[in-house]
Amino acid sequence: MAKPSGRNSATAGVEPESRERRFIRSALEILGETGRTDFTVLEVVERSKTSLRSFYQHFSTKDELLLALIDKIMSESTRKWRADTADLAPVAALRMLIDRICTPAESTAQDKVNRGLTHYNDHLAEALPREYARVLSPLHELIKDIINRGIADGSFRSGIDVDATAALIMQSALGAMRLQALGAELNGVPVDADHIFDFCAAALGATAKPG
């Protein structure tokens, strides 16, 4: 006779959370509470109720942990953005994508996460450039696809360097938080999704307005 598993029937069949995911979730919780990325590995370990040894079996540094967190956020977000824009005309798809990226946080915790990671991005780009580029590549590919669709149907001008232009659009949209503050300081008008879209549409020679 098989021994009882000891698991509650409500949790039977549910995969236990991996330690890697626990570390990522713990880092996300700390970010949501503090908005800061200067927490220590020990804080993450204590929050996740694991050990330093376990942490270093999964991540070499805190940078790698935060990179994994950004990877998770970007992968999930880009999949949704791709689905949302798949059936739209290229100009409308670009407009929706920029709107989604620039949408303000829905909660204080999410705002703290966004701000903390936005300010950490530059550090990751310098410390782990190849890995950081890999994390951003799904969004870069989505923007490239939208641009190529627009060139094919005449919505965008031909002769565009698609790779470089997609990278510039991506960085402009991802930097929206900083641009908002910078715009307010420079001329009293915050930079928002409308400004970013108009800038990108002009660069692409958009021949139609988003429907």
Side-chain angles (χ1 to χ4, degrees):
M1 181 183 294
K3 294 180 180 180
S5 65
R7 290 186 301 172
N8 186 293
S9 60
T11 61
V14 177
E15 288 294 324
E17 185 179 33
S18 70
R19 289 186 178 180
E20 181 175 343
R21 288 183 177 275
R22 284 167 69 181
F23 291 130
I24 293 172
R25 175 173 54 79
S26 296
L28 184 61
E29 290 174 356
I30 294 171
L31 266 171
E33 292 168 8
T34 67
R36 293 167 30 217
T37 55
D38 60 354
F39 54 81
T40 65
V41 168
L42 186 57
E43 288 178 82
V44 175
V45 167
E46 290 175 346
R47 176 71 65 105
S48 61
K49 298 185 180 352
T50 54
S51 67
L52 278 172
R53 179 182 178 185
S54 179
F55 178 90
Y56 287 114
Q57 287 175 339
H58 293 86
F59 304 103
S60 298
T61 63
K62 189 182 75 175
D63 284 349
E64 285 192 5
L65 169 63
L66 287 172
L67 188 71
L69 173 57
I70 294 173
D71 190 8
K72 179 178 184 297
I73 293 171
M74 289 300 299
S75 295
E76 292 175 354
S77 297
T78 302
R79 279 196 297 271
K80 186 175 189 313
W81 294 335
R82 184 175 283 280
D84 289 344
T85 59
D87 297 327
L88 298 178
V91 177
L94 179 65
R95 173 75 231 212
M96 176 176 282
L97 178 60
I98 291 174
D99 281 346
R100 293 287 190 271
I101 295 172
C102 299
T103 297
E106 296 180 353
S107 67
T108 301
Q110 186 59 53
D111 182 62
K112 288 180 178 179
V113 170
N114 290 350
R115 289 181 180 276
L117 292 180
T118 295
H119 290 105
Y120 205 69
N121 283 344
D122 287 344
H123 170 73
L124 287 176
E126 291 180 6
L128 300 168
R130 182 175 296 179
E131 293 85 351
Y132 186 59
R134 175 188 58 77
V135 166
L136 295 182
S137 64
L139 178 57
H140 185 236
E141 288 298 320
L142 173 56
I143 298 172
K144 282 170 57 179
D145 290 347
I146 292 173
I147 293 174
N148 282 321
R149 285 200 286 128
I151 293 172
D153 74 2
S155 298
F156 303 145
R157 64 181 174 83
S158 59
I160 295 172
D161 184 332
V162 175
D163 279 330
T165 303
L168 288 167
I169 290 173
M170 179 180 69
Q171 287 303 107
S172 295
L174 291 177
M177 263 193 217
R178 291 182 184 175
L179 289 171
Q180 287 172 355
L182 181 61
E185 291 297 325
L186 287 174
N187 55 22
V189 180
V191 175
D192 58 17
D194 290 337
H195 295 110
I196 295 173
F197 171 75
D198 289 344
F199 177 80
C200 295
L204 293 168
T207 58
K209 293 187 176 182

PDB file of all heavy atoms in Angstrom, residues 92-122:
ATOM      1  N   ALA A  92      -1.303  51.750 -36.259  1.00  0.00           N
ATOM      2  CA  ALA A  92      -2.098  51.541 -35.045  1.00  0.00           C
ATOM      3  C   ALA A  92      -1.378  50.602 -34.080  1.00  0.00           C
ATOM      4  O   ALA A  92      -1.446  50.778 -32.852  1.00  0.00           O
ATOM      5  CB  ALA A  92      -3.465  50.974 -35.408  1.00  0.00           C
ATOM      6  N   ALA A  93      -0.686  49.612 -34.625  1.00  0.00           N
ATOM      7  CA  ALA A  93       0.062  48.680 -33.779  1.00  0.00           C
ATOM      8  C   ALA A  93       1.188  49.402 -33.043  1.00  0.00           C
ATOM      9  O   ALA A  93       1.415  49.183 -31.851  1.00  0.00           O
ATOM     10  CB  ALA A  93       0.633  47.545 -34.629  1.00  0.00           C
ATOM     11  N   LEU A  94       1.900  50.287 -33.756  1.00  0.00           N
ATOM     12  CA  LEU A  94       2.969  51.052 -33.121  1.00  0.00           C
ATOM     13  C   LEU A  94       2.402  51.958 -32.037  1.00  0.00           C
ATOM     14  O   LEU A  94       2.971  52.065 -30.941  1.00  0.00           O
ATOM     15  CB  LEU A  94       3.712  51.890 -34.166  1.00  0.00           C
ATOM     16  CG  LEU A  94       4.853  52.753 -33.625  1.00  0.00           C
ATOM     17  CD1 LEU A  94       5.971  51.883 -33.062  1.00  0.00           C
ATOM     18  CD2 LEU A  94       5.389  53.670 -34.733  1.00  0.00           C
ATOM     19  N   ARG A  95       1.283  52.582 -32.322  1.00  0.00           N
ATOM     20  CA  ARG A  95       0.646  53.469 -31.340  1.00  0.00           C
ATOM     21  C   ARG A  95       0.259  52.688 -30.084  1.00  0.00           C
ATOM     22  O   ARG A  95       0.516  53.125 -28.953  1.00  0.00           O
ATOM     23  CB  ARG A  95      -0.584  54.110 -31.976  1.00  0.00           C
ATOM     24  CG  ARG A  95      -1.431  54.933 -31.009  1.00  0.00           C
ATOM     25  CD  ARG A  95      -0.764  56.250 -30.713  1.00  0.00           C
ATOM     26  NE  ARG A  95      -0.651  56.525 -29.316  1.00  0.00           N
ATOM     27  CZ  ARG A  95      -0.697  57.734 -28.783  1.00  0.00           C
ATOM     28  NH1 ARG A  95      -0.870  58.798 -29.543  1.00  0.00           N
ATOM     29  NH2 ARG A  95      -0.549  57.910 -27.500  1.00  0.00           N
ATOM     30  N   MET A  96      -0.367  51.528 -30.280  1.00  0.00           N
ATOM     31  CA  MET A  96      -0.787  50.736 -29.127  1.00  0.00           C
ATOM     32  C   MET A  96       0.411  50.256 -28.323  1.00  0.00           C
ATOM     33  O   MET A  96       0.391  50.286 -27.084  1.00  0.00           O
ATOM     34  CB  MET A  96      -1.629  49.535 -29.563  1.00  0.00           C
ATOM     35  CG  MET A  96      -2.019  48.632 -28.397  1.00  0.00           C
ATOM     36  SD  MET A  96      -3.117  47.265 -28.853  1.00  0.00           S
ATOM     37  CE  MET A  96      -4.679  48.141 -28.967  1.00  0.00           C
ATOM     38  N   LEU A  97       1.464  49.824 -29.004  1.00  0.00           N
ATOM     39  CA  LEU A  97       2.641  49.330 -28.303  1.00  0.00           C
ATOM     40  C   LEU A  97       3.257  50.427 -27.441  1.00  0.00           C
ATOM     41  O   LEU A  97       3.594  50.197 -26.269  1.00  0.00           O
ATOM     42  CB  LEU A  97       3.672  48.807 -29.300  1.00  0.00           C
ATOM     43  CG  LEU A  97       4.982  48.291 -28.696  1.00  0.00           C
ATOM     44  CD1 LEU A  97       4.722  47.127 -27.749  1.00  0.00           C
ATOM     45  CD2 LEU A  97       5.951  47.898 -29.799  1.00  0.00           C
ATOM     46  N   ILE A  98       3.409  51.612 -27.997  1.00  0.00           N
ATOM     47  CA  ILE A  98       3.985  52.723 -27.230  1.00  0.00           C
ATOM     48  C   ILE A  98       3.077  53.080 -26.058  1.00  0.00           C
ATOM     49  O   ILE A  98       3.553  53.355 -24.952  1.00  0.00           O
ATOM     50  CB  ILE A  98       4.239  53.927 -28.146  1.00  0.00           C
ATOM     51  CG1 ILE A  98       5.389  53.604 -29.110  1.00  0.00           C
ATOM     52  CG2 ILE A  98       4.567  55.182 -27.330  1.00  0.00           C
ATOM     53  CD1 ILE A  98       5.641  54.652 -30.160  1.00  0.00           C
ATOM     54  N   ASP A  99       1.769  53.059 -26.285  1.00  0.00           N
ATOM     55  CA  ASP A  99       0.832  53.320 -25.188  1.00  0.00           C
ATOM     56  C   ASP A  99       1.000  52.298 -24.067  1.00  0.00           C
ATOM     57  O   ASP A  99       1.008  52.655 -22.879  1.00  0.00           O
ATOM     58  CB  ASP A  99      -0.614  53.264 -25.701  1.00  0.00           C
ATOM     59  CG  ASP A  99      -1.022  54.536 -26.422  1.00  0.00           C
ATOM     60  OD1 ASP A  99      -0.309  55.547 -26.301  1.00  0.00           O
ATOM     61  OD2 ASP A  99      -2.050  54.511 -27.129  1.00  0.00           O
ATOM     62  N   ARG A 100       1.132  51.017 -24.446  1.00  0.00           N
ATOM     63  CA  ARG A 100       1.263  49.962 -23.436  1.00  0.00           C
ATOM     64  C   ARG A 100       2.555  50.146 -22.633  1.00  0.00           C
ATOM     65  O   ARG A 100       2.562  50.014 -21.409  1.00  0.00           O
ATOM     66  CB  ARG A 100       1.275  48.583 -24.112  1.00  0.00           C
ATOM     67  CG  ARG A 100      -0.036  48.188 -24.765  1.00  0.00           C
ATOM     68  CD  ARG A 100      -1.093  47.836 -23.731  1.00  0.00           C
ATOM     69  NE  ARG A 100      -2.251  47.238 -24.348  1.00  0.00           N
ATOM     70  CZ  ARG A 100      -3.298  47.897 -24.815  1.00  0.00           C
ATOM     71  NH1 ARG A 100      -3.324  49.215 -24.709  1.00  0.00           N
ATOM     72  NH2 ARG A 100      -4.325  47.273 -25.359  1.00  0.00           N
ATOM     73  N   ILE A 101       3.648  50.429 -23.323  1.00  0.00           N
ATOM     74  CA  ILE A 101       4.927  50.583 -22.633  1.00  0.00           C
ATOM     75  C   ILE A 101       4.899  51.784 -21.695  1.00  0.00           C
ATOM     76  O   ILE A 101       5.456  51.746 -20.602  1.00  0.00           O
ATOM     77  CB  ILE A 101       6.076  50.738 -23.650  1.00  0.00           C
ATOM     78  CG1 ILE A 101       6.237  49.451 -24.468  1.00  0.00           C
ATOM     79  CG2 ILE A 101       7.394  51.067 -22.951  1.00  0.00           C
ATOM     80  CD1 ILE A 101       7.221  49.571 -25.617  1.00  0.00           C
ATOM     81  N   CYS A 102       4.232  52.855 -22.125  1.00  0.00           N
ATOM     82  CA  CYS A 102       4.238  54.100 -21.352  1.00  0.00           C
ATOM     83  C   CYS A 102       3.084  54.201 -20.354  1.00  0.00           C
ATOM     84  O   CYS A 102       2.962  55.223 -19.662  1.00  0.00           O
ATOM     85  CB  CYS A 102       4.188  55.294 -22.303  1.00  0.00           C
ATOM     86  SG  CYS A 102       5.591  55.411 -23.431  1.00  0.00           S
ATOM     87  N   THR A 103       2.231  53.183 -20.281  1.00  0.00           N
ATOM     88  CA  THR A 103       1.091  53.238 -19.369  1.00  0.00           C
ATOM     89  C   THR A 103       1.565  53.391 -17.925  1.00  0.00           C
ATOM     90  O   THR A 103       2.423  52.627 -17.467  1.00  0.00           O
ATOM     91  CB  THR A 103       0.249  51.950 -19.482  1.00  0.00           C
ATOM     92  OG1 THR A 103      -0.275  51.852 -20.794  1.00  0.00           O
ATOM     93  CG2 THR A 103      -0.900  51.968 -18.474  1.00  0.00           C
ATOM     94  N   PRO A 104       1.029  54.361 -17.190  1.00  0.00           N
ATOM     95  CA  PRO A 104       1.434  54.536 -15.789  1.00  0.00           C
ATOM     96  C   PRO A 104       1.103  53.298 -14.962  1.00  0.00           C
ATOM     97  O   PRO A 104       0.176  52.547 -15.279  1.00  0.00           O
ATOM     98  CB  PRO A 104       0.597  55.745 -15.327  1.00  0.00           C
ATOM     99  CG  PRO A 104       0.231  56.455 -16.588  1.00  0.00           C
ATOM    100  CD  PRO A 104       0.074  55.391 -17.630  1.00  0.00           C
ATOM    101  N   ALA A 105       1.861  53.081 -13.922  1.00  0.00           N
ATOM    102  CA  ALA A 105       1.630  51.941 -13.031  1.00  0.00           C
ATOM    103  C   ALA A 105       0.243  52.035 -12.402  1.00  0.00           C
ATOM    104  O   ALA A 105      -0.261  53.129 -12.120  1.00  0.00           O
ATOM    105  CB  ALA A 105       2.696  51.906 -11.944  1.00  0.00           C
ATOM    106  N   GLU A 106      -0.370  50.868 -12.186  1.00  0.00           N
ATOM    107  CA  GLU A 106      -1.718  50.831 -11.628  1.00  0.00           C
ATOM    108  C   GLU A 106      -1.730  50.845 -10.105  1.00  0.00           C
ATOM    109  O   GLU A 106      -2.785  50.961  -9.494  1.00  0.00           O
ATOM    110  CB  GLU A 106      -2.449  49.588 -12.140  1.00  0.00           C
ATOM    111  CG  GLU A 106      -2.666  49.604 -13.655  1.00  0.00           C
ATOM    112  CD  GLU A 106      -3.391  48.362 -14.145  1.00  0.00           C
ATOM    113  OE1 GLU A 106      -3.590  47.437 -13.309  1.00  0.00           O
ATOM    114  OE2 GLU A 106      -3.756  48.312 -15.317  1.00  0.00           O
ATOM    115  N   SER A 107      -0.574  50.693  -9.501  1.00  0.00           N
ATOM    116  CA  SER A 107      -0.501  50.677  -8.040  1.00  0.00           C
ATOM    117  C   SER A 107       0.802  51.314  -7.593  1.00  0.00           C
ATOM    118  O   SER A 107       1.743  51.470  -8.378  1.00  0.00           O
ATOM    119  CB  SER A 107      -0.582  49.237  -7.515  1.00  0.00           C
ATOM    120  OG  SER A 107       0.578  48.516  -7.900  1.00  0.00           O
ATOM    121  N   THR A 108       0.841  51.690  -6.331  1.00  0.00           N
ATOM    122  CA  THR A 108       2.068  52.268  -5.769  1.00  0.00           C
ATOM    123  C   THR A 108       3.210  51.264  -5.826  1.00  0.00           C
ATOM    124  O   THR A 108       4.347  51.619  -6.153  1.00  0.00           O
ATOM    125  CB  THR A 108       1.832  52.697  -4.312  1.00  0.00           C
ATOM    126  OG1 THR A 108       0.775  53.663  -4.273  1.00  0.00           O
ATOM    127  CG2 THR A 108       3.082  53.314  -3.715  1.00  0.00           C
ATOM    128  N   ALA A 109       2.906  49.994  -5.522  1.00  0.00           N
ATOM    129  CA  ALA A 109       3.946  48.967  -5.551  1.00  0.00           C
ATOM    130  C   ALA A 109       4.518  48.804  -6.956  1.00  0.00           C
ATOM    131  O   ALA A 109       5.738  48.712  -7.134  1.00  0.00           O
ATOM    132  CB  ALA A 109       3.387  47.633  -5.050  1.00  0.00           C
ATOM    133  N   GLN A 110       3.626  48.777  -7.956  1.00  0.00           N
ATOM    134  CA  GLN A 110       4.097  48.632  -9.336  1.00  0.00           C
ATOM    135  C   GLN A 110       4.917  49.836  -9.761  1.00  0.00           C
ATOM    136  O   GLN A 110       5.916  49.712 -10.470  1.00  0.00           O
ATOM    137  CB  GLN A 110       2.910  48.445 -10.281  1.00  0.00           C
ATOM    138  CG  GLN A 110       3.315  48.142 -11.722  1.00  0.00           C
ATOM    139  CD  GLN A 110       4.139  46.888 -11.843  1.00  0.00           C
ATOM    140  OE1 GLN A 110       3.727  45.830 -11.358  1.00  0.00           O
ATOM    141  NE2 GLN A 110       5.300  46.973 -12.468  1.00  0.00           N
ATOM    142  N   ASP A 111       4.515  51.021  -9.310  1.00  0.00           N
ATOM    143  CA  ASP A 111       5.275  52.231  -9.630  1.00  0.00           C
ATOM    144  C   ASP A 111       6.680  52.154  -9.038  1.00  0.00           C
ATOM    145  O   ASP A 111       7.665  52.534  -9.696  1.00  0.00           O
ATOM    146  CB  ASP A 111       4.543  53.462  -9.087  1.00  0.00           C
ATOM    147  CG  ASP A 111       5.266  54.756  -9.436  1.00  0.00           C
ATOM    148  OD1 ASP A 111       5.402  55.055 -10.636  1.00  0.00           O
ATOM    149  OD2 ASP A 111       5.700  55.473  -8.518  1.00  0.00           O
ATOM    150  N   LYS A 112       6.787  51.643  -7.824  1.00  0.00           N
ATOM    151  CA  LYS A 112       8.098  51.506  -7.195  1.00  0.00           C
ATOM    152  C   LYS A 112       8.965  50.504  -7.953  1.00  0.00           C
ATOM    153  O   LYS A 112      10.167  50.712  -8.149  1.00  0.00           O
ATOM    154  CB  LYS A 112       7.936  51.079  -5.737  1.00  0.00           C
ATOM    155  CG  LYS A 112       7.396  52.177  -4.833  1.00  0.00           C
ATOM    156  CD  LYS A 112       7.261  51.685  -3.397  1.00  0.00           C
ATOM    157  CE  LYS A 112       6.767  52.794  -2.482  1.00  0.00           C
ATOM    158  NZ  LYS A 112       6.598  52.318  -1.082  1.00  0.00           N
ATOM    159  N   VAL A 113       8.350  49.399  -8.397  1.00  0.00           N
ATOM    160  CA  VAL A 113       9.088  48.407  -9.179  1.00  0.00           C
ATOM    161  C   VAL A 113       9.595  49.031 -10.471  1.00  0.00           C
ATOM    162  O   VAL A 113      10.769  48.891 -10.843  1.00  0.00           O
ATOM    163  CB  VAL A 113       8.205  47.185  -9.488  1.00  0.00           C
ATOM    164  CG1 VAL A 113       8.887  46.267 -10.506  1.00  0.00           C
ATOM    165  CG2 VAL A 113       7.896  46.410  -8.214  1.00  0.00           C
ATOM    166  N   ASN A 114       8.697  49.735 -11.174  1.00  0.00           N
ATOM    167  CA  ASN A 114       9.063  50.350 -12.450  1.00  0.00           C
ATOM    168  C   ASN A 114      10.217  51.332 -12.289  1.00  0.00           C
ATOM    169  O   ASN A 114      11.174  51.325 -13.068  1.00  0.00           O
ATOM    170  CB  ASN A 114       7.858  51.072 -13.054  1.00  0.00           C
ATOM    171  CG  ASN A 114       6.780  50.114 -13.532  1.00  0.00           C
ATOM    172  OD1 ASN A 114       6.995  48.899 -13.586  1.00  0.00           O
ATOM    173  ND2 ASN A 114       5.625  50.643 -13.870  1.00  0.00           N
ATOM    174  N   ARG A 115      10.105  52.178 -11.274  1.00  0.00           N
ATOM    175  CA  ARG A 115      11.137  53.197 -11.073  1.00  0.00           C
ATOM    176  C   ARG A 115      12.473  52.566 -10.674  1.00  0.00           C
ATOM    177  O   ARG A 115      13.529  52.956 -11.154  1.00  0.00           O
ATOM    178  CB  ARG A 115      10.681  54.209 -10.018  1.00  0.00           C
ATOM    179  CG  ARG A 115       9.566  55.124 -10.501  1.00  0.00           C
ATOM    180  CD  ARG A 115       9.146  56.117  -9.451  1.00  0.00           C
ATOM    181  NE  ARG A 115       8.088  56.985  -9.941  1.00  0.00           N
ATOM    182  CZ  ARG A 115       8.297  58.080 -10.663  1.00  0.00           C
ATOM    183  NH1 ARG A 115       9.539  58.435 -10.962  1.00  0.00           N
ATOM    184  NH2 ARG A 115       7.296  58.808 -11.076  1.00  0.00           N
ATOM    185  N   GLY A 116      12.401  51.580  -9.787  1.00  0.00           N
ATOM    186  CA  GLY A 116      13.626  50.931  -9.354  1.00  0.00           C
ATOM    187  C   GLY A 116      14.352  50.254 -10.498  1.00  0.00           C
ATOM    188  O   GLY A 116      15.568  50.415 -10.669  1.00  0.00           O
ATOM    189  N   LEU A 117      13.609  49.523 -11.326  1.00  0.00           N
ATOM    190  CA  LEU A 117      14.234  48.810 -12.439  1.00  0.00           C
ATOM    191  C   LEU A 117      14.673  49.762 -13.545  1.00  0.00           C
ATOM    192  O   LEU A 117      15.694  49.530 -14.198  1.00  0.00           O
ATOM    193  CB  LEU A 117      13.274  47.757 -12.992  1.00  0.00           C
ATOM    194  CG  LEU A 117      12.989  46.580 -12.056  1.00  0.00           C
ATOM    195  CD1 LEU A 117      12.024  45.610 -12.712  1.00  0.00           C
ATOM    196  CD2 LEU A 117      14.276  45.858 -11.673  1.00  0.00           C
ATOM    197  N   THR A 118      13.914  50.833 -13.768  1.00  0.00           N
ATOM    198  CA  THR A 118      14.299  51.810 -14.789  1.00  0.00           C
ATOM    199  C   THR A 118      15.664  52.403 -14.472  1.00  0.00           C
ATOM    200  O   THR A 118      16.527  52.528 -15.346  1.00  0.00           O
ATOM    201  CB  THR A 118      13.254  52.932 -14.894  1.00  0.00           C
ATOM    202  OG1 THR A 118      12.022  52.377 -15.362  1.00  0.00           O
ATOM    203  CG2 THR A 118      13.697  54.013 -15.869  1.00  0.00           C
ATOM    204  N   HIS A 119      15.873  52.742 -13.207  1.00  0.00           N
ATOM    205  CA  HIS A 119      17.147  53.345 -12.828  1.00  0.00           C
ATOM    206  C   HIS A 119      18.276  52.317 -12.765  1.00  0.00           C
ATOM    207  O   HIS A 119      19.449  52.687 -12.820  1.00  0.00           O
ATOM    208  CB  HIS A 119      17.003  54.054 -11.471  1.00  0.00           C
ATOM    209  CG  HIS A 119      16.160  55.286 -11.542  1.00  0.00           C
ATOM    210  ND1 HIS A 119      14.883  55.332 -11.060  1.00  0.00           N
ATOM    211  CD2 HIS A 119      16.405  56.500 -12.085  1.00  0.00           C
ATOM    212  CE1 HIS A 119      14.369  56.534 -11.276  1.00  0.00           C
ATOM    213  NE2 HIS A 119      15.268  57.253 -11.901  1.00  0.00           N
ATOM    214  N   TYR A 120      17.923  51.031 -12.706  1.00  0.00           N
ATOM    215  CA  TYR A 120      18.948  49.984 -12.649  1.00  0.00           C
ATOM    216  C   TYR A 120      19.353  49.516 -14.045  1.00  0.00           C
ATOM    217  O   TYR A 120      20.390  48.865 -14.214  1.00  0.00           O
ATOM    218  CB  TYR A 120      18.433  48.795 -11.842  1.00  0.00           C
ATOM    219  CG  TYR A 120      19.518  47.954 -11.220  1.00  0.00           C
ATOM    220  CD1 TYR A 120      20.302  48.453 -10.184  1.00  0.00           C
ATOM    221  CD2 TYR A 120      19.757  46.657 -11.652  1.00  0.00           C
ATOM    222  CE1 TYR A 120      21.296  47.687  -9.594  1.00  0.00           C
ATOM    223  CE2 TYR A 120      20.745  45.868 -11.069  1.00  0.00           C
ATOM    224  CZ  TYR A 120      21.511  46.397 -10.036  1.00  0.00           C
ATOM    225  OH  TYR A 120      22.488  45.631  -9.455  1.00  0.00           O
ATOM    226  N   ASN A 121      18.537  49.856 -15.042  1.00  0.00           N
ATOM    227  CA  ASN A 121      18.785  49.377 -16.395  1.00  0.00           C
ATOM    228  C   ASN A 121      20.151  49.802 -16.921  1.00  0.00           C
ATOM    229  O   ASN A 121      20.845  49.016 -17.580  1.00  0.00           O
ATOM    230  CB  ASN A 121      17.692  49.872 -17.349  1.00  0.00           C
ATOM    231  CG  ASN A 121      16.405  49.079 -17.200  1.00  0.00           C
ATOM    232  OD1 ASN A 121      16.401  47.997 -16.630  1.00  0.00           O
ATOM    233  ND2 ASN A 121      15.316  49.615 -17.701  1.00  0.00           N
ATOM    234  N   ASP A 122      20.524  51.046 -16.663  1.00  0.00           N
ATOM    235  CA  ASP A 122      21.821  51.529 -17.156  1.00  0.00           C
ATOM    236  C   ASP A 122      22.965  50.713 -16.578  1.00  0.00           C
ATOM    237  O   ASP A 122      23.935  50.384 -17.276  1.00  0.00           O
ATOM    238  CB  ASP A 122      22.017  53.008 -16.812  1.00  0.00           C
ATOM    239  CG  ASP A 122      21.154  53.921 -17.658  1.00  0.00           C
ATOM    240  OD1 ASP A 122      20.650  53.446 -18.703  1.00  0.00           O
ATOM    241  OD2 ASP A 122      20.993  55.099 -17.297  1.00  0.00           O
TER     242      ASP A 122
END
